[in-house]
Amino acid sequence: MFVSSSAQHFAWVKRGDPALFERIRERVAEGRFLPVGNMWVESDVNMISGESMARQLLYGTRFFEREFGSRSEVGGFRTPSGTRGRSRSS
């Protein structure tokens, strides 16, 4: 299984190589490729505002739902020390 965590990266692939993006969609449908995180880009949550965090999650989640048919159940946030914290949505 392959995991990727940024909707922005998928958007770049969709724009730059539509055929590759369709192959990614197929792998997602097969369960072999897992888009995670629901954020537009991974953000540093130490310096982010609440509004910015909400928009990151809103735009990323919309993209995953529109392009892959579902939102991610797994996500992570960078901690101030640069390590990853994990969260799981219900």
Side-chain angles (χ1 to χ4, degrees):
M1 179 180 297
F2 184 82
V3 175
S4 184
S5 64
S6 175
Q8 176 64 72
H9 295 150
F10 291 114
W12 285 329
V13 172
K14 183 180 179 184
R15 185 180 64 209
D17 192 340
L20 175 59
F21 187 76
E22 287 306 314
R23 288 176 42 214
I24 291 171
R25 275 187 170 163
E26 291 170 10
R27 299 300 93 76
V28 169
E30 294 167 358
R32 295 174 50 197
F33 192 112
L34 183 62
V36 299
N38 288 329
M39 294 187 97
W40 187 252
V41 294
E42 288 186 28
S43 63
D44 176 351
V45 296
N46 189 42
M47 299 292 290
I48 194 169
S49 72
E51 175 71 17
S52 179
M53 171 92 61
R55 287 179 187 270
Q56 286 278 354
L57 290 164
L58 174 68
Y59 296 145
T61 299
R62 282 182 181 170
F63 182 87
F64 286 143
E65 288 176 337
R66 181 179 65 246
E67 300 299 336
F68 301 118
S70 66
R71 65 179 62 191
S72 173
E73 294 183 15
V74 178
F77 300 107
R78 295 273 178 209
T79 65
S81 63
T83 58
R84 287 183 63 80
R86 294 185 312 167
S87 65
R88 183 168 177 82
S89 62
S90 307

